[in-house]
Amino acid sequence: MAQSILIVDDAAFMRMMIKDILTKNGFNVVGEAQDGAQAVEKYKELTPDLVTMDITMPEMDGITALKEIQKENPSAKIIMCSAMGQQAMVIDAIQAGAKDFIVKPFQADRVIEAIQKALS
């Protein structure tokens, strides 16, 4: 069975880019969210195998959402997505329990590598 993935990003274009990379590589995108609060709700509803989470979003940022999801499921697999220059936030995210991070603009092979590593 294909691994189920929830994509979280406030930019529809970025969600579309990741979804395209994932579906072309045999992953099942089960949902999308545009902010952290929505991500937490969708996670509870869909219980995906993995979440790709943008760091900077309105309402609730990615690191707060990561912590909320981990309260729900301590073994949740979450990969953070960041723009260049967000190293400090990436470090916070990894310390908070993120499995890995990918940098925008996305390189398809790096996205797949991070996801396969997190799921194995």
Side-chain angles (χ1 to χ4, degrees):
M1 189 179 120
Q3 303 278 350
S4 61
I5 300 179
L6 171 64
I7 299 172
V8 184
D9 199 304
D10 56 330
F13 175 71
M14 286 298 170
R15 292 197 308 270
M16 190 182 75
M17 277 180 63
I18 295 185
K19 186 175 186 172
D20 189 51
I21 292 168
L22 296 176
T23 50
K24 281 182 178 157
N25 284 277
F27 293 98
N28 179 20
V29 176
V30 291
E32 295 180 26
Q34 54 195 10
D35 63 54
Q38 228 182 48
V40 175
E41 288 304 305
K42 293 252 184 185
Y43 185 85
K44 290 176 185 173
E45 178 191 324
L46 302 167
T47 60
D49 296 314
L50 184 129
V51 180
T52 64
M53 178 87 67
D54 187 18
I55 290 182
T56 328
M57 295 180 288
E59 301 298 317
M60 181 192 289
D61 66 57
I63 294 174
T64 307
L66 165 81
K67 291 174 181 169
E68 287 298 311
I69 288 172
Q70 289 199 312
K71 278 184 208 162
E72 188 73 24
N73 175 6
S75 62
K77 292 179 169 71
I78 301 170
I79 294 178
M80 304 307 286
C81 304
S82 72
M84 290 304 251
Q86 291 182 318
Q87 280 84 350
M89 291 172 108
V90 167
I91 291 165
D92 289 348
I94 299 290
Q95 288 170 338
K99 299 293 179 218
D100 203 345
F101 68 94
I102 45 182
V103 178
K104 299 173 183 177
F106 302 117
Q107 254 86 42
D109 54 352
R110 174 68 188 112
V111 172
I112 299 306
E113 176 195 327
I115 287 175
Q116 287 171 337
K117 193 172 90 184
L119 289 170
S120 63

